Amino acid sequence: MLIFKRPVNASLLAKQPLDRRRDTLLPGHPAAFYSGAGEGSRTLAEVTLATTGSSLRAALGTAPGPPRPPRSRWALRFAPATRRGLAASARGGGLRSPQGPAARPANANAPRRRPAGGRRGGGGRFGRSAARPSGMAAAAAAALALGGGLLLAAWRWLRGAARAAAGASMRGKTVIITGANSGLGRAAAAELLRMRARVIMGCRDRARAERAAREIRAELGERAEAEGGGELVVRELDLASLRSVRAFCHRVLQEEPRLDVLINNAGIFQCPYMKTEDGFEMQFGVNHLGHFLLTNLLLGLLKNSAPSRIVVVSSKLYKYGEINFEDLNSEISYNKSFCYSRSKLANILFARELARRLEGTGVTVNSLHPGIVRTNLGRYVNIPLLAKPLFNLVSWAFFKTPLEGAQTSIYLASSPDVEGVSGKYFGDCKEEELLPKAMDDLVARKLWDISEVMVGLLK
Ligand SMILES: NC(=O)c1ccc[n+]([C@@H]2O[C@H](COP(=O)([O-])OP(=O)(O)OC[C@H]3O[C@@H](n4cnc5c(N)ncnc54)[C@H](OP(=O)(O)O)[C@@H]3O)[C@@H](O)[C@H]2O)c1
């Protein structure tokens, strides 16, 4: 057994004079010196020895030990026998024999001196070189990562298990969901179809919507539609075009005898400054004005189908918005975050004002925030390429899945718990408090009046 004061490199050592070579050996281990049981060590030096044994021995000018079966580095590091062997040498007694501990050498009680050079260079006491602490650290890190990963996966599984309206039936009900080809809208469409609703997917891109519909059908195994009740219908609806909104509503009014639920879900987030077909700032135009016109044009059908529901998907980010009436089109200044927040504040003010106007009609209106959800909403947000893997990991671990995020929409659309509840704001299927700015009825009325003019409902 060869034990070194510090890790050695065989080929470099071979170039040293013999004295210097012998000097690399740890003093006080003559028995180990010739034992030839090099595999007993887990030091970096011994790993080197294991692979270049004979040349190293020649370099040291020592007699070769008995031939050893080839062993992998892995085995050298982790075989318990090798740990015992090293521990025995470390206690100063050479290798522990199978029959019992070896006799302690004369210098066993001498004070042990820590070799110079610190943990890495000197290898600590008795040849415990860099390999041991770094190996242990790596093993600890791997165990931590594995344990953490398992905990996270279990937590995610538990979190995702609850379904807001499990078991509820929507058979015979017609639901319109805007932006149903992606994210929350797609998840809500699949769930409501599972509950046997006739789901009209109002989407701006027909091809994307058809693909989403095909995928949903494949996920549900075509059962929901085939077994009666449930149906998926794709209709074109571009909320950035008042003409498209009107055409969509016209067709719905012609074809649908009833409308039980309207989910205003589609949204655009923090895009660069763009205008809708009608010249409105894009986020205000799609998130608020397009839905404002859509809802108003479908109100008659919703009232005729009462009890019916309107669900407005807003966001907690409404807190950072203001309704700046003097620049609703953001022509004086444009800040993409502010404009998203403003459009989401407008969603809540609209829902509350509409609820007030619909009192006694049997049509309820509620708004919600879905939480932070892993969807395509951030398509305009630039994440540096190098930060993407970290972002993906964090979003996988901590963001909701679309199905989790859609639970409050599904709850408000289908649960008997919220029958007759109107004008409220929800998160995680529970009613939540709003900031005063979202409950300002004067601002809500003024926004309503101006929106009516902007979309051409009032000339
Ligand atoms: N994800 C979150 O963390 C989060 C948080 C708070 C609130 N929200 C709200 O949740 C709602 C759904 O967003 P998401 O997260 O599911 O995002 P998403 O995956 O991007 O889905 C948004 C949907 O809106 C559609 N859309 C965009 N512009 C449209 C237009 N002009 N006309 C018709 N449809 C349009 C998109 O269609 P294309 O696929 O064709 O673009 C897409 O289907 C949004 O209102 C958003 O503000 C989301």
Side-chain angles (χ1 to χ4, degrees):
M1 168 101 178
L2 302 170
I3 300 181
F4 301 97
K5 291 174 184 172
R6 56 188 168 273
V8 293
N9 175 306
S11 56
L12 288 182
L13 199 63
K15 294 176 187 152
Q16 303 284 322
L18 192 61
D19 282 357
R20 294 276 294 280
R21 292 182 225 160
R22 287 178 184 272
D23 191 43
T24 58
L25 290 166
L26 193 71
H29 294 275
F33 194 95
Y34 292 108
S35 74
E39 68 270 33
S41 170
R42 290 164 67 240
T43 69
L44 235 147
E46 298 306 301
V47 170
T48 308
L49 171 66
T51 54
T52 60
S54 56
S55 63
L56 187 59
R57 281 161 199 278
L60 284 163
T62 61
R68 285 174 283 126
R71 300 189 63 182
S72 69
R73 282 174 179 230
W74 187 256
L76 279 171
R77 279 176 179 233
F78 292 101
T82 66
R83 273 203 302 277
R84 280 200 301 276
L86 180 63
S89 334
R91 282 192 297 272
L95 288 175
R96 190 187 284 260
S97 78
Q99 284 78 35
R104 287 165 72 79
N107 65 348
N109 293 327
R112 287 163 177 171
R113 195 166 45 85
R114 194 184 187 93
R119 296 194 90 178
R120 285 192 72 80
R125 271 189 207 168
F126 313 116
R128 259 184 316 164
S129 74
R132 187 163 188 178
S134 69
M136 284 173 66
L144 258 179
L146 186 70
L150 285 174
L151 271 178
L152 206 61
W155 174 67
R156 285 203 58 74
W157 182 80
L158 282 174
R159 210 182 63 177
R163 280 201 154 110
S169 171
M170 292 290 282
R171 192 183 290 271
K173 307 219 165 175
T174 300
V175 181
I176 290 178
I177 307 177
T178 66
N181 61 290
S182 165
L184 302 174
R186 184 191 181 286
E191 276 305 275
L192 290 162
L193 177 66
R194 196 193 296 272
M195 294 155 79
R196 303 286 184 263
R198 171 175 162 81
V199 179
I200 300 174
M201 303 168 69
C203 302
R204 66 172 159 175
D205 185 298
R206 186 159 198 106
R208 277 202 290 266
E210 297 282 8
R211 189 168 57 241
R214 270 198 308 278
E215 287 167 4
I216 292 172
R217 288 189 188 108
E219 279 163 27
L220 302 190
E222 312 269 343
R223 275 200 328 267
E225 283 181 302
E227 287 172 11
E231 192 180 358
L232 267 189
V233 181
V234 171
R235 293 281 178 267
E236 270 173 58
L237 168 65
D238 182 357
L239 290 153
S241 157
L242 297 181
R243 186 182 40 82
S244 169
V245 175
R246 287 182 188 281
F248 173 86
C249 292
H250 182 72
R251 189 162 176 191
V252 168
L253 294 177
Q254 276 192 330
E255 292 178 353
E256 305 298 328
R258 58 181 305 112
L259 177 58
D260 302 278
V261 182
L262 168 64
I263 304 183
N264 289 345
N265 164 83
I268 184 165
F269 176 74
Q270 298 196 1
C271 55
Y273 189 69
M274 294 192 274
K275 285 191 168 177
T276 66
E277 190 178 285
D278 308 277
F280 307 132
E281 183 279 309
M282 186 62 78
Q283 300 188 73
F284 192 69
V286 170
N287 298 355
H288 170 62
L289 289 174
H291 281 122
F292 179 87
L293 179 62
L294 176 84
T295 311
N296 272 287
L297 294 180
L298 297 176
L299 266 187
L301 187 57
L302 282 159
K303 283 182 191 163
N304 290 342
S305 314
S308 54
R309 302 178 183 194
I310 300 168
V311 178
V312 178
V313 181
S314 178
S315 162
K316 255 192 180 160
L317 291 177
Y318 84 84
K319 293 177 182 175
Y320 306 101
E322 299 290 340
I323 306 297
N324 53 340
F325 287 106
E326 71 291 346
D327 191 23
L328 283 180
N329 243 353
S330 305
E331 273 153 0
I332 299 171
S333 74
Y334 180 68
N335 175 309
K336 59 184 182 177
S337 313
F338 168 81
C339 285
Y340 178 74
S341 296
R342 178 181 64 178
S343 73
K344 292 288 141 181
L345 174 60
N347 286 161
I348 298 171
L349 291 166
F350 163 67
R352 284 174 51 83
E353 175 63 14
L354 183 57
R356 193 184 66 74
R357 288 172 184 244
L358 289 175
E359 267 171 31
T361 62
V363 185
T364 60
V365 195
N366 292 292
S367 59
L368 67 99
H369 75 82
I372 304 177
V373 193
R374 197 173 145 88
T375 66
N376 293 324
L377 194 68
R379 69 194 75 189
Y380 291 108
V381 178
N382 275 327
I383 298 170
L385 199 66
L386 287 177
K388 269 194 180 152
L390 180 65
F391 175 81
N392 286 338
L393 186 70
V394 169
S395 64
W396 175 83
F398 299 109
F399 290 15
K400 290 180 179 178
T401 63
L403 182 57
E404 290 163 2
Q407 290 306 306
T408 308
S409 299
I410 297 161
Y411 173 75
L412 290 174
S414 63
S415 172
D417 297 354
V418 282
E419 191 83 63
V421 175
S422 195
K424 305 294 185 202
Y425 172 71
F426 287 78
D428 286 330
C429 303
K430 286 190 290 285
E431 193 188 328
E432 289 193 6
E433 296 264 306
L434 281 168
L435 291 184
K437 68 163 106 175
M439 296 191 294
D440 189 327
D441 293 341
L442 282 179
V443 173
R445 269 175 224 183
K446 189 171 172 185
L447 177 65
W448 183 282
D449 292 344
I450 289 178
S451 302
E452 270 186 328
V453 175
M454 288 176 93
V455 301
L457 281 176
L458 211 69
K459 303 283 177 206

